[in-house]
Amino acid sequence: SPWKPLLLLLSPPAFSTTCARCAKDRRLRQKRAISERQLTRYFMDQRKVRVVGGHGGGGGHSFYSEPRKVFGGPDGGNGGDGGHVILKADQQMKSLSSVFPFYQGFHGERGGSKNCYGANGAHMYVKVPVGTLVKEDGKVVADLTQHGEEYIAAYGGAGGKGNRFFLSNENRAPKLFTPGEPGQERVLHLELKTTAHAGLVGFPNAGKSSLLRAISRAKPAVAAYPFTTLNPHVGIVHYQDFEQVAVADIPGLIKGAHQNRGLGMAFLKHIERCRFLLFVVDLSVPQPWIQLQDLKCELEAYEKGLSERPCVVIGNKIDLAQSRINLPLLREQVAERVIALSALTGDNLEELLLHLRELYDTYVKTEQSRGQSPVRW
């Protein structure tokens, strides 16, 4: 073709596959590495939520008229009711981090002519974790402890009346109609008490976060200074029969925690709903059994009977020389079972995992004997 040389001149040059400088880089871009701090997901246990119910639709204002019936009378329908804002406990939700600070129900539609009523507004469902406390002005108004349990946080407004509603023998052509009422508005405080199966309880720097890292995929911060953990973390321990045991890393307690020293009350409330406790004791300190006594005193001062729940004592940092000396002394002073391990090196973690499963199976059988369904993750 005579146009072929011209087309070759006008066409853009093809990419070279031999020259490294001119060849097009077809490799996929690698994702930028995310730091461990960004990967850490904190456990949100408190939330302030403003809820507003949907507005009711206004009443209709119209008169029926047709060629053979001019004065047909009023036919304005009533407006639809506004939708409620409903809190619903969901077993799949584990934190309040997905709850938004504001919710509003859907509005009802306005009433139409020919006695047509407006549609009601749809309800707004907000999923919250099981074990959520709903407070208003410091008072508990709801406690969602069962899966599927609901609480109406804000009622929707009633729909307005159309002029058909005001028809009477004295007034055959009413022009009166009412607007819809506004929805209820409330400010609620949602508080989640951790419903994990086991709770790691101990003083700061006892090795609770390191232990949770060793037995689960949770990534709490670990450092050599006290109060590294400021927010609770929940890790899941997986077993071969697909059972999952949730273990909560409760931030470290101090003496006087029941008097709200430090952040004691904020930490103790998470221990309240743990089914069994794992007391983590640092074996390298002098007289480690005093730590266990102080921990039980703080739990008992916060809630009577809390320290008597099924528990096991974990002696951490067995890899240190001083810990091996203190281990037999601790077993003499403590009546509970003592499991000596090292969260750093992973020594004797199997004994802890097996005993943790025994505590979980005992909890499941106890709940089933009472006719209640155990909490499963």
Side-chain angles (χ1 to χ4, degrees), residues 103-141:
Y103 288 96
Q104 184 171 19
F106 294 96
H107 303 316
E109 294 185 0
R110 186 179 182 86
S113 58
K114 299 182 181 179
N115 298 325
C116 291
Y117 283 30
N120 295 330
H123 300 318
M124 172 73 69
Y125 285 91
V126 182
K127 293 183 178 180
V128 294
V130 176
T132 302
L133 283 177
V134 185
K135 295 184 177 180
E136 185 178 17
D137 298 331
K139 297 181 180 179
V140 178
V141 295

Side-chain angles (χ1 to χ4, degrees), residues 71-188:
F71 301 104
D75 64 347
N78 299 336
D81 298 330
H84 307 324
V85 179
I86 302 175
L87 303 179
K88 186 174 183 179
D90 191 351
Q91 194 174 355
Q92 300 297 326
M93 305 293 293
K94 305 302 179 184
S95 174
L96 293 174
S97 57
S98 59
V99 178
F100 296 110
F102 175 74
Y103 288 96
Q104 184 171 19
F106 294 96
H107 303 316
E109 294 185 0
R110 186 179 182 86
S113 58
K114 299 182 181 179
N115 298 325
C116 291
Y117 283 30
N120 295 330
H123 300 318
M124 172 73 69
Y125 285 91
V126 182
K127 293 183 178 180
V128 294
V130 176
T132 302
L133 283 177
V134 185
K135 295 184 177 180
E136 185 178 17
D137 298 331
K139 297 181 180 179
V140 178
V141 295
D143 188 2
L144 306 177
T145 58
Q146 299 294 331
H147 175 71
E149 192 174 356
E150 298 180 359
Y151 171 71
I152 301 178
Y155 287 91
K161 304 297 183 181
N163 61 341
R164 171 72 180 181
F165 178 81
F166 299 98
L167 178 64
S168 63
N169 292 330
E170 291 78 13
N171 188 3
R172 304 303 300 171
K175 297 182 180 180
L176 179 63
F177 63 97
T178 59
E181 296 181 0
Q184 185 183 14
E185 182 175 354
R186 302 171 69 185
V187 177
L188 302 175

